[in-house]
PDB file of all heavy atoms in Angstrom:
ATOM      1  N   ILE A  17     -42.805  14.917 -23.330  1.00 93.00           N
ATOM      2  CA  ILE A  17     -41.495  14.241 -23.372  1.00 93.00           C
ATOM      3  C   ILE A  17     -41.661  12.749 -23.097  1.00 93.00           C
ATOM      4  O   ILE A  17     -41.091  11.896 -23.793  1.00 93.00           O
ATOM      5  CB  ILE A  17     -40.533  14.881 -22.353  1.00 93.00           C
ATOM      6  CG1 ILE A  17     -40.213  16.318 -22.768  1.00 93.00           C
ATOM      7  CG2 ILE A  17     -39.251  14.060 -22.232  1.00 93.00           C
ATOM      8  CD1 ILE A  17     -39.434  17.088 -21.723  1.00 93.00           C
ATOM      9  N   GLY A  18     -42.461  12.405 -22.089  1.00 91.00           N
ATOM     10  CA  GLY A  18     -42.674  11.002 -21.760  1.00 91.00           C
ATOM     11  C   GLY A  18     -43.356  10.246 -22.884  1.00 91.00           C
ATOM     12  O   GLY A  18     -43.002   9.093 -23.177  1.00 91.00           O
ATOM     13  N   SER A  19     -44.354  10.857 -23.536  1.00 89.00           N
ATOM     14  CA  SER A  19     -45.055  10.200 -24.642  1.00 89.00           C
ATOM     15  C   SER A  19     -44.121   9.951 -25.817  1.00 89.00           C
ATOM     16  O   SER A  19     -44.151   8.873 -26.437  1.00 89.00           O
ATOM     17  CB  SER A  19     -46.242  11.057 -25.093  1.00 89.00           C
ATOM     18  OG  SER A  19     -47.201  11.156 -24.074  1.00 89.00           O
ATOM     19  N   LEU A  20     -43.288  10.934 -26.140  1.00 90.00           N
ATOM     20  CA  LEU A  20     -42.340  10.765 -27.248  1.00 90.00           C
ATOM     21  C   LEU A  20     -41.296   9.703 -26.918  1.00 90.00           C
ATOM     22  O   LEU A  20     -40.897   8.915 -27.794  1.00 90.00           O
ATOM     23  CB  LEU A  20     -41.661  12.102 -27.553  1.00 90.00           C
ATOM     24  CG  LEU A  20     -42.581  13.198 -28.119  1.00 90.00           C
ATOM     25  CD1 LEU A  20     -41.820  14.497 -28.308  1.00 90.00           C
ATOM     26  CD2 LEU A  20     -43.190  12.755 -29.451  1.00 90.00           C
ATOM     27  N   PHE A  21     -40.852   9.655 -25.665  1.00 90.00           N
ATOM     28  CA  PHE A  21     -39.882   8.641 -25.255  1.00 90.00           C
ATOM     29  C   PHE A  21     -40.489   7.245 -25.366  1.00 90.00           C
ATOM     30  O   PHE A  21     -39.868   6.306 -25.873  1.00 90.00           O
ATOM     31  CB  PHE A  21     -39.425   8.911 -23.822  1.00 90.00           C
ATOM     32  CG  PHE A  21     -38.485   7.876 -23.275  1.00 90.00           C
ATOM     33  CD1 PHE A  21     -37.150   7.847 -23.679  1.00 90.00           C
ATOM     34  CD2 PHE A  21     -38.937   6.916 -22.374  1.00 90.00           C
ATOM     35  CE1 PHE A  21     -36.280   6.885 -23.184  1.00 90.00           C
ATOM     36  CE2 PHE A  21     -38.080   5.954 -21.874  1.00 90.00           C
ATOM     37  CZ  PHE A  21     -36.744   5.934 -22.279  1.00 90.00           C
ATOM     38  N   LEU A  22     -41.748   7.098 -24.902  1.00 86.00           N
ATOM     39  CA  LEU A  22     -42.427   5.809 -24.989  1.00 86.00           C
ATOM     40  C   LEU A  22     -42.680   5.427 -26.442  1.00 86.00           C
ATOM     41  O   LEU A  22     -42.585   4.243 -26.811  1.00 86.00           O
ATOM     42  CB  LEU A  22     -43.753   5.873 -24.223  1.00 86.00           C
ATOM     43  CG  LEU A  22     -44.568   4.581 -24.142  1.00 86.00           C
ATOM     44  CD1 LEU A  22     -43.772   3.486 -23.443  1.00 86.00           C
ATOM     45  CD2 LEU A  22     -45.887   4.816 -23.409  1.00 86.00           C
ATOM     46  N   SER A  23     -42.995   6.413 -27.277  1.00 84.00           N
ATOM     47  CA  SER A  23     -43.222   6.151 -28.694  1.00 84.00           C
ATOM     48  C   SER A  23     -41.954   5.624 -29.362  1.00 84.00           C
ATOM     49  O   SER A  23     -42.009   4.721 -30.204  1.00 84.00           O
ATOM     50  CB  SER A  23     -43.704   7.423 -29.393  1.00 84.00           C
ATOM     51  OG  SER A  23     -43.915   7.201 -30.761  1.00 84.00           O
ATOM     52  N   ALA A  24     -40.804   6.187 -28.974  1.00 85.00           N
ATOM     53  CA  ALA A  24     -39.534   5.710 -29.530  1.00 85.00           C
ATOM     54  C   ALA A  24     -39.160   4.345 -28.971  1.00 85.00           C
ATOM     55  O   ALA A  24     -38.570   3.507 -29.669  1.00 85.00           O
ATOM     56  CB  ALA A  24     -38.430   6.718 -29.218  1.00 85.00           C
ATOM     57  N   LEU A  25     -39.531   4.098 -27.719  1.00 85.00           N
ATOM     58  CA  LEU A  25     -39.156   2.854 -27.054  1.00 85.00           C
ATOM     59  C   LEU A  25     -40.044   1.692 -27.495  1.00 85.00           C
ATOM     60  O   LEU A  25     -39.556   0.569 -27.685  1.00 85.00           O
ATOM     61  CB  LEU A  25     -39.269   3.041 -25.533  1.00 85.00           C
ATOM     62  CG  LEU A  25     -38.608   1.997 -24.639  1.00 85.00           C
ATOM     63  CD1 LEU A  25     -37.096   2.039 -24.794  1.00 85.00           C
ATOM     64  CD2 LEU A  25     -38.984   2.239 -23.179  1.00 85.00           C
ATOM     65  N   ALA A  26     -41.368   1.952 -27.640  1.00 80.00           N
ATOM     66  CA  ALA A  26     -42.314   0.887 -28.006  1.00 80.00           C
ATOM     67  C   ALA A  26     -43.284   1.401 -29.060  1.00 80.00           C
ATOM     68  O   ALA A  26     -44.452   1.677 -28.770  1.00 80.00           O
ATOM     69  CB  ALA A  26     -43.061   0.412 -26.763  1.00 80.00           C
ATOM     70  N   PRO A  27     -42.821   1.560 -30.298  1.00 79.00           N
ATOM     71  CA  PRO A  27     -43.677   2.148 -31.342  1.00 79.00           C
ATOM     72  C   PRO A  27     -44.912   1.314 -31.671  1.00 79.00           C
ATOM     73  O   PRO A  27     -45.925   1.852 -32.105  1.00 79.00           O
ATOM     74  CB  PRO A  27     -42.736   2.249 -32.551  1.00 79.00           C
ATOM     75  CG  PRO A  27     -41.624   1.289 -32.264  1.00 79.00           C
ATOM     76  CD  PRO A  27     -41.478   1.235 -30.790  1.00 79.00           C
ATOM     77  N   THR A  28     -44.846   0.003 -31.466  1.00 77.00           N
ATOM     78  CA  THR A  28     -46.027  -0.819 -31.760  1.00 77.00           C
ATOM     79  C   THR A  28     -47.137  -0.607 -30.716  1.00 77.00           C
ATOM     80  O   THR A  28     -48.310  -0.786 -31.003  1.00 77.00           O
ATOM     81  CB  THR A  28     -45.642  -2.308 -31.774  1.00 77.00           C
ATOM     82  OG1 THR A  28     -45.026  -2.644 -30.527  1.00 77.00           O
ATOM     83  CG2 THR A  28     -44.658  -2.589 -32.905  1.00 77.00           C
ATOM     84  N   LEU A  29     -46.740  -0.215 -29.512  1.00 75.00           N
ATOM     85  CA  LEU A  29     -47.702  -0.013 -28.431  1.00 75.00           C
ATOM     86  C   LEU A  29     -48.210   1.421 -28.377  1.00 75.00           C
ATOM     87  O   LEU A  29     -49.387   1.670 -28.117  1.00 75.00           O
ATOM     88  CB  LEU A  29     -47.051  -0.388 -27.090  1.00 75.00           C
ATOM     89  CG  LEU A  29     -47.927  -0.292 -25.845  1.00 75.00           C
ATOM     90  CD1 LEU A  29     -48.989  -1.379 -25.867  1.00 75.00           C
ATOM     91  CD2 LEU A  29     -47.076  -0.405 -24.584  1.00 75.00           C
ATOM     92  N   TRP A  30     -47.321   2.384 -28.635  1.00 79.00           N
ATOM     93  CA  TRP A  30     -47.627   3.808 -28.384  1.00 79.00           C
ATOM     94  C   TRP A  30     -46.941   4.644 -29.466  1.00 79.00           C
ATOM     95  O   TRP A  30     -45.888   5.193 -29.250  1.00 79.00           O
ATOM     96  CB  TRP A  30     -47.133   4.181 -26.980  1.00 79.00           C
ATOM     97  CG  TRP A  30     -47.524   5.551 -26.504  1.00 79.00           C
ATOM     98  CD1 TRP A  30     -46.759   6.677 -26.556  1.00 79.00           C
ATOM     99  CD2 TRP A  30     -48.753   5.937 -25.907  1.00 79.00           C
ATOM    100  NE1 TRP A  30     -47.436   7.735 -26.043  1.00 79.00           N
ATOM    101  CE2 TRP A  30     -48.675   7.312 -25.613  1.00 79.00           C
ATOM    102  CE3 TRP A  30     -49.930   5.255 -25.582  1.00 79.00           C
ATOM    103  CZ2 TRP A  30     -49.716   8.010 -25.024  1.00 79.00           C
ATOM    104  CZ3 TRP A  30     -50.963   5.952 -24.991  1.00 79.00           C
ATOM    105  CH2 TRP A  30     -50.849   7.316 -24.720  1.00 79.00           C
ATOM    106  N   LYS A  31     -47.568   4.747 -30.631  1.00 81.00           N
ATOM    107  CA  LYS A  31     -46.963   5.453 -31.758  1.00 81.00           C
ATOM    108  C   LYS A  31     -47.654   6.798 -31.953  1.00 81.00           C
ATOM    109  O   LYS A  31     -48.863   6.865 -32.159  1.00 81.00           O
ATOM    110  CB  LYS A  31     -47.097   4.600 -33.029  1.00 81.00           C
ATOM    111  CG  LYS A  31     -46.540   5.270 -34.270  1.00 81.00           C
ATOM    112  CD  LYS A  31     -45.039   5.469 -34.178  1.00 81.00           C
ATOM    113  CE  LYS A  31     -44.471   6.053 -35.475  1.00 81.00           C
ATOM    114  NZ  LYS A  31     -43.037   6.395 -35.345  1.00 81.00           N
ATOM    115  N   MET A  32     -46.875   7.901 -31.886  1.00 84.00           N
ATOM    116  CA  MET A  32     -47.440   9.236 -32.097  1.00 84.00           C
ATOM    117  C   MET A  32     -46.325  10.238 -32.347  1.00 84.00           C
ATOM    118  O   MET A  32     -45.162   9.995 -31.995  1.00 84.00           O
ATOM    119  CB  MET A  32     -48.276   9.664 -30.887  1.00 84.00           C
ATOM    120  CG  MET A  32     -47.504   9.851 -29.601  1.00 84.00           C
ATOM    121  SD  MET A  32     -48.568  10.317 -28.221  1.00 84.00           S
ATOM    122  CE  MET A  32     -49.642   8.917 -28.099  1.00 84.00           C
ATOM    123  N   ASP A  33     -46.697  11.387 -32.958  1.00 86.00           N
ATOM    124  CA  ASP A  33     -45.713  12.460 -33.140  1.00 86.00           C
ATOM    125  C   ASP A  33     -45.892  13.494 -32.028  1.00 86.00           C
ATOM    126  O   ASP A  33     -46.757  13.363 -31.157  1.00 86.00           O
ATOM    127  CB  ASP A  33     -45.839  13.096 -34.525  1.00 86.00           C
ATOM    128  CG  ASP A  33     -47.209  13.737 -34.755  1.00 86.00           C
ATOM    129  OD1 ASP A  33     -47.972  13.887 -33.771  1.00 86.00           O
ATOM    130  OD2 ASP A  33     -47.525  14.095 -35.900  1.00 86.00           O
ATOM    131  N   TRP A  34     -45.100  14.566 -32.079  1.00 89.00           N
ATOM    132  CA  TRP A  34     -45.094  15.531 -30.973  1.00 89.00           C
ATOM    133  C   TRP A  34     -46.403  16.309 -30.872  1.00 89.00           C
ATOM    134  O   TRP A  34     -46.818  16.715 -29.783  1.00 89.00           O
ATOM    135  CB  TRP A  34     -43.914  16.496 -31.122  1.00 89.00           C
ATOM    136  CG  TRP A  34     -44.012  17.467 -32.269  1.00 89.00           C
ATOM    137  CD1 TRP A  34     -43.571  17.298 -33.539  1.00 89.00           C
ATOM    138  CD2 TRP A  34     -44.617  18.772 -32.225  1.00 89.00           C
ATOM    139  NE1 TRP A  34     -43.851  18.401 -34.302  1.00 89.00           N
ATOM    140  CE2 TRP A  34     -44.488  19.329 -33.514  1.00 89.00           C
ATOM    141  CE3 TRP A  34     -45.238  19.510 -31.228  1.00 89.00           C
ATOM    142  CZ2 TRP A  34     -44.967  20.588 -33.833  1.00 89.00           C
ATOM    143  CZ3 TRP A  34     -45.718  20.772 -31.542  1.00 89.00           C
ATOM    144  CH2 TRP A  34     -45.580  21.305 -32.824  1.00 89.00           C
ATOM    145  N   ARG A  35     -47.099  16.496 -32.001  1.00 88.00           N
ATOM    146  CA  ARG A  35     -48.363  17.243 -31.954  1.00 88.00           C
ATOM    147  C   ARG A  35     -49.434  16.467 -31.184  1.00 88.00           C
ATOM    148  O   ARG A  35     -50.175  17.036 -30.367  1.00 88.00           O
ATOM    149  CB  ARG A  35     -48.842  17.535 -33.376  1.00 88.00           C
ATOM    150  CG  ARG A  35     -47.906  18.454 -34.171  1.00 88.00           C
ATOM    151  CD  ARG A  35     -48.362  18.630 -35.598  1.00 88.00           C
ATOM    152  NE  ARG A  35     -48.362  17.354 -36.310  1.00 88.00           N
ATOM    153  CZ  ARG A  35     -48.833  17.174 -37.541  1.00 88.00           C
ATOM    154  NH1 ARG A  35     -49.373  18.197 -38.179  1.00 88.00           N
ATOM    155  NH2 ARG A  35     -48.785  15.998 -38.129  1.00 88.00           N
ATOM    156  N   THR A  36     -49.498  15.169 -31.448  1.00 89.00           N
ATOM    157  CA  THR A  36     -50.432  14.327 -30.697  1.00 89.00           C
ATOM    158  C   THR A  36     -50.071  14.300 -29.220  1.00 89.00           C
ATOM    159  O   THR A  36     -50.945  14.356 -28.343  1.00 89.00           O
ATOM    160  CB  THR A  36     -50.421  12.897 -31.266  1.00 89.00           C
ATOM    161  OG1 THR A  36     -50.759  12.939 -32.653  1.00 89.00           O
ATOM    162  CG2 THR A  36     -51.409  12.003 -30.519  1.00 89.00           C
ATOM    163  N   ALA A  37     -48.757  14.219 -28.957  1.00 91.00           N
ATOM    164  CA  ALA A  37     -48.298  14.182 -27.561  1.00 91.00           C
ATOM    165  C   ALA A  37     -48.690  15.460 -26.817  1.00 91.00           C
ATOM    166  O   ALA A  37     -49.108  15.411 -25.655  1.00 91.00           O
ATOM    167  CB  ALA A  37     -46.783  13.981 -27.515  1.00 91.00           C
ATOM    168  N   VAL A  38     -48.567  16.616 -27.477  1.00 91.00           N
ATOM    169  CA  VAL A  38     -48.950  17.885 -26.843  1.00 91.00           C
ATOM    170  C   VAL A  38     -50.454  17.914 -26.561  1.00 91.00           C
ATOM    171  O   VAL A  38     -50.900  18.315 -25.473  1.00 91.00           O
ATOM    172  CB  VAL A  38     -48.545  19.083 -27.733  1.00 91.00           C
ATOM    173  CG1 VAL A  38     -49.163  20.376 -27.216  1.00 91.00           C
ATOM    174  CG2 VAL A  38     -47.032  19.220 -27.788  1.00 91.00           C
ATOM    175  N   ALA A  39     -51.265  17.478 -27.541  1.00 90.00           N
ATOM    176  CA  ALA A  39     -52.718  17.485 -27.369  1.00 90.00           C
ATOM    177  C   ALA A  39     -53.142  16.572 -26.216  1.00 90.00           C
ATOM    178  O   ALA A  39     -53.961  16.959 -25.368  1.00 90.00           O
ATOM    179  CB  ALA A  39     -53.406  17.052 -28.660  1.00 90.00           C
ATOM    180  N   LEU A  40     -52.577  15.365 -26.164  1.00 91.00           N
ATOM    181  CA  LEU A  40     -52.940  14.432 -25.094  1.00 91.00           C
ATOM    182  C   LEU A  40     -52.423  14.902 -23.740  1.00 91.00           C
ATOM    183  O   LEU A  40     -53.070  14.694 -22.708  1.00 91.00           O
ATOM    184  CB  LEU A  40     -52.393  13.035 -25.413  1.00 91.00           C
ATOM    185  CG  LEU A  40     -53.042  12.325 -26.609  1.00 91.00           C
ATOM    186  CD1 LEU A  40     -52.414  10.954 -26.821  1.00 91.00           C
ATOM    187  CD2 LEU A  40     -54.550  12.171 -26.400  1.00 91.00           C
ATOM    188  N   SER A  41     -51.263  15.546 -23.723  1.00 92.00           N
ATOM    189  CA  SER A  41     -50.729  16.065 -22.460  1.00 92.00           C
ATOM    190  C   SER A  41     -51.582  17.208 -21.933  1.00 92.00           C
ATOM    191  O   SER A  41     -51.715  17.392 -20.715  1.00 92.00           O
ATOM    192  CB  SER A  41     -49.282  16.530 -22.650  1.00 92.00           C
ATOM    193  OG  SER A  41     -48.460  15.445 -23.017  1.00 92.00           O
ATOM    194  N   GLY A  42     -52.161  17.995 -22.849  1.00 92.00           N
ATOM    195  CA  GLY A  42     -53.091  19.039 -22.421  1.00 92.00           C
ATOM    196  C   GLY A  42     -54.315  18.449 -21.736  1.00 92.00           C
ATOM    197  O   GLY A  42     -54.787  18.958 -20.712  1.00 92.00           O
ATOM    198  N   ALA A  43     -54.837  17.332 -22.308  1.00 91.00           N
ATOM    199  CA  ALA A  43     -55.965  16.647 -21.670  1.00 91.00           C
ATOM    200  C   ALA A  43     -55.544  16.038 -20.335  1.00 91.00           C
ATOM    201  O   ALA A  43     -56.309  16.056 -19.358  1.00 91.00           O
ATOM    202  CB  ALA A  43     -56.511  15.562 -22.597  1.00 91.00           C
ATOM    203  N   LEU A  44     -54.312  15.515 -20.280  1.00 91.00           N
ATOM    204  CA  LEU A  44     -53.795  14.914 -19.045  1.00 91.00           C
ATOM    205  C   LEU A  44     -53.689  15.936 -17.914  1.00 91.00           C
ATOM    206  O   LEU A  44     -53.877  15.599 -16.741  1.00 91.00           O
ATOM    207  CB  LEU A  44     -52.414  14.299 -19.317  1.00 91.00           C
ATOM    208  CG  LEU A  44     -51.636  13.759 -18.118  1.00 91.00           C
ATOM    209  CD1 LEU A  44     -52.360  12.563 -17.505  1.00 91.00           C
ATOM    210  CD2 LEU A  44     -50.214  13.377 -18.529  1.00 91.00           C
ATOM    211  N   ALA A  45     -53.413  17.194 -18.254  1.00 92.00           N
ATOM    212  CA  ALA A  45     -53.218  18.235 -17.231  1.00 92.00           C
ATOM    213  C   ALA A  45     -54.500  18.577 -16.480  1.00 92.00           C
ATOM    214  O   ALA A  45     -54.454  19.167 -15.399  1.00 92.00           O
ATOM    215  CB  ALA A  45     -52.652  19.502 -17.878  1.00 92.00           C
ATOM    216  N   MET A  46     -55.660  18.198 -17.034  1.00 91.00           N
ATOM    217  CA  MET A  46     -56.938  18.569 -16.429  1.00 91.00           C
ATOM    218  C   MET A  46     -57.359  17.588 -15.329  1.00 91.00           C
ATOM    219  O   MET A  46     -57.143  16.390 -15.448  1.00 91.00           O
ATOM    220  CB  MET A  46     -58.041  18.612 -17.496  1.00 91.00           C
ATOM    221  CG  MET A  46     -57.777  19.596 -18.622  1.00 91.00           C
ATOM    222  SD  MET A  46     -57.723  21.297 -18.035  1.00 91.00           S
ATOM    223  CE  MET A  46     -56.091  21.789 -18.614  1.00 91.00           C
ATOM    224  N   SER A  47     -57.953  18.122 -14.277  1.00 90.00           N
ATOM    225  CA  SER A  47     -58.567  17.311 -13.218  1.00 90.00           C
ATOM    226  C   SER A  47     -60.059  17.631 -13.181  1.00 90.00           C
ATOM    227  O   SER A  47     -60.513  18.596 -13.795  1.00 90.00           O
ATOM    228  CB  SER A  47     -57.922  17.615 -11.866  1.00 90.00           C
ATOM    229  OG  SER A  47     -56.529  17.382 -11.907  1.00 90.00           O
ATOM    230  N   SER A  48     -60.816  16.834 -12.465  1.00 85.00           N
ATOM    231  CA  SER A  48     -62.272  16.974 -12.493  1.00 85.00           C
ATOM    232  C   SER A  48     -62.769  17.997 -11.482  1.00 85.00           C
ATOM    233  O   SER A  48     -62.840  17.713 -10.280  1.00 85.00           O
ATOM    234  CB  SER A  48     -62.944  15.624 -12.228  1.00 85.00           C
ATOM    235  OG  SER A  48     -64.340  15.777 -12.222  1.00 85.00           O
ATOM    236  N   THR A  49     -63.113  19.179 -11.966  1.00 81.00           N
ATOM    237  CA  THR A  49     -63.669  20.220 -11.090  1.00 81.00           C
ATOM    238  C   THR A  49     -64.987  19.767 -10.467  1.00 81.00           C
ATOM    239  O   THR A  49     -65.210  19.923  -9.260  1.00 81.00           O
ATOM    240  CB  THR A  49     -63.897  21.515 -11.896  1.00 81.00           C
ATOM    241  OG1 THR A  49     -62.655  21.934 -12.464  1.00 81.00           O
ATOM    242  CG2 THR A  49     -64.440  22.623 -11.014  1.00 81.00           C
ATOM    243  N   ALA A  50     -65.867  19.165 -11.274  1.00 76.00           N
ATOM    244  CA  ALA A  50     -67.197  18.785 -10.789  1.00 76.00           C
ATOM    245  C   ALA A  50     -67.115  17.765  -9.661  1.00 76.00           C
ATOM    246  O   ALA A  50     -67.777  17.902  -8.625  1.00 76.00           O
ATOM    247  CB  ALA A  50     -68.032  18.233 -11.945  1.00 76.00           C
ATOM    248  N   VAL A  51     -66.292  16.726  -9.841  1.00 80.00           N
ATOM    249  CA  VAL A  51     -66.207  15.659  -8.838  1.00 80.00           C
ATOM    250  C   VAL A  51     -65.500  16.157  -7.583  1.00 80.00           C
ATOM    251  O   VAL A  51     -65.969  15.970  -6.455  1.00 80.00           O
ATOM    252  CB  VAL A  51     -65.476  14.432  -9.419  1.00 80.00           C
ATOM    253  CG1 VAL A  51     -65.297  13.358  -8.346  1.00 80.00           C
ATOM    254  CG2 VAL A  51     -66.239  13.860 -10.601  1.00 80.00           C
ATOM    255  N   VAL A  52     -64.347  16.804  -7.763  1.00 85.00           N
ATOM    256  CA  VAL A  52     -63.509  17.178  -6.615  1.00 85.00           C
ATOM    257  C   VAL A  52     -64.178  18.263  -5.768  1.00 85.00           C
ATOM    258  O   VAL A  52     -64.177  18.184  -4.536  1.00 85.00           O
ATOM    259  CB  VAL A  52     -62.119  17.636  -7.100  1.00 85.00           C
ATOM    260  CG1 VAL A  52     -61.286  18.147  -5.933  1.00 85.00           C
ATOM    261  CG2 VAL A  52     -61.393  16.484  -7.783  1.00 85.00           C
ATOM    262  N   VAL A  53     -64.760  19.277  -6.412  1.00 81.00           N
ATOM    263  CA  VAL A  53     -65.394  20.358  -5.646  1.00 81.00           C
ATOM    264  C   VAL A  53     -66.567  19.822  -4.845  1.00 81.00           C
ATOM    265  O   VAL A  53     -66.773  20.202  -3.681  1.00 81.00           O
ATOM    266  CB  VAL A  53     -65.841  21.500  -6.585  1.00 81.00           C
ATOM    267  CG1 VAL A  53     -66.683  22.516  -5.834  1.00 81.00           C
ATOM    268  CG2 VAL A  53     -64.621  22.186  -7.183  1.00 81.00           C
ATOM    269  N   LYS A  54     -67.360  18.906  -5.422  1.00 76.00           N
ATOM    270  CA  LYS A  54     -68.478  18.321  -4.677  1.00 76.00           C
ATOM    271  C   LYS A  54     -67.966  17.540  -3.468  1.00 76.00           C
ATOM    272  O   LYS A  54     -68.514  17.644  -2.364  1.00 76.00           O
ATOM    273  CB  LYS A  54     -69.298  17.399  -5.585  1.00 76.00           C
ATOM    274  CG  LYS A  54     -70.516  16.832  -4.861  1.00 76.00           C
ATOM    275  CD  LYS A  54     -71.279  15.848  -5.711  1.00 76.00           C
ATOM    276  CE  LYS A  54     -72.562  15.400  -5.005  1.00 76.00           C
ATOM    277  NZ  LYS A  54     -72.330  14.810  -3.684  1.00 76.00           N
ATOM    278  N   MET A  55     -66.906  16.771  -3.657  1.00 80.00           N
ATOM    279  CA  MET A  55     -66.362  15.989  -2.538  1.00 80.00           C
ATOM    280  C   MET A  55     -65.804  16.914  -1.455  1.00 80.00           C
ATOM    281  O   MET A  55     -65.984  16.665  -0.258  1.00 80.00           O
ATOM    282  CB  MET A  55     -65.275  15.044  -3.043  1.00 80.00           C
ATOM    283  CG  MET A  55     -65.760  13.959  -3.997  1.00 80.00           C
ATOM    284  SD  MET A  55     -66.820  12.732  -3.219  1.00 80.00           S
ATOM    285  CE  MET A  55     -65.680  11.892  -2.142  1.00 80.00           C
ATOM    286  N   LEU A  56     -65.114  17.978  -1.861  1.00 80.00           N
ATOM    287  CA  LEU A  56     -64.588  18.935  -0.883  1.00 80.00           C
ATOM    288  C   LEU A  56     -65.720  19.575  -0.084  1.00 80.00           C
ATOM    289  O   LEU A  56     -65.623  19.735   1.140  1.00 80.00           O
ATOM    290  CB  LEU A  56     -63.780  20.028  -1.599  1.00 80.00           C
ATOM    291  CG  LEU A  56     -62.369  19.668  -2.058  1.00 80.00           C
ATOM    292  CD1 LEU A  56     -61.799  20.788  -2.928  1.00 80.00           C
ATOM    293  CD2 LEU A  56     -61.440  19.419  -0.879  1.00 80.00           C
TER     294      LEU A  56
END
């Protein structure tokens, strides 16, 4: 939702359709298991 809103608000800066937004949001949902578990 945020990516689509930004795309509508500033298309020259952040232009994408909903499929791209879903794919990037899936990547955004991930955190680093390797780094965090080692630090813990």
Side-chain angles (χ1 to χ4, degrees):
I17 294 172
S19 295
L20 293 177
F21 177 76
L22 183 60
S23 179
L25 195 66
T28 56
L29 182 70
W30 187 263
K31 178 65 176 174
M32 65 181 62
D33 61 12
W34 69 270
R35 296 176 298 173
T36 302
V38 169
L40 292 180
S41 297
L44 173 65
M46 301 296 124
S47 302
S48 178
T49 302
V51 176
V52 175
V53 171
K54 183 184 185 303
M55 295 292 292
L56 282 171

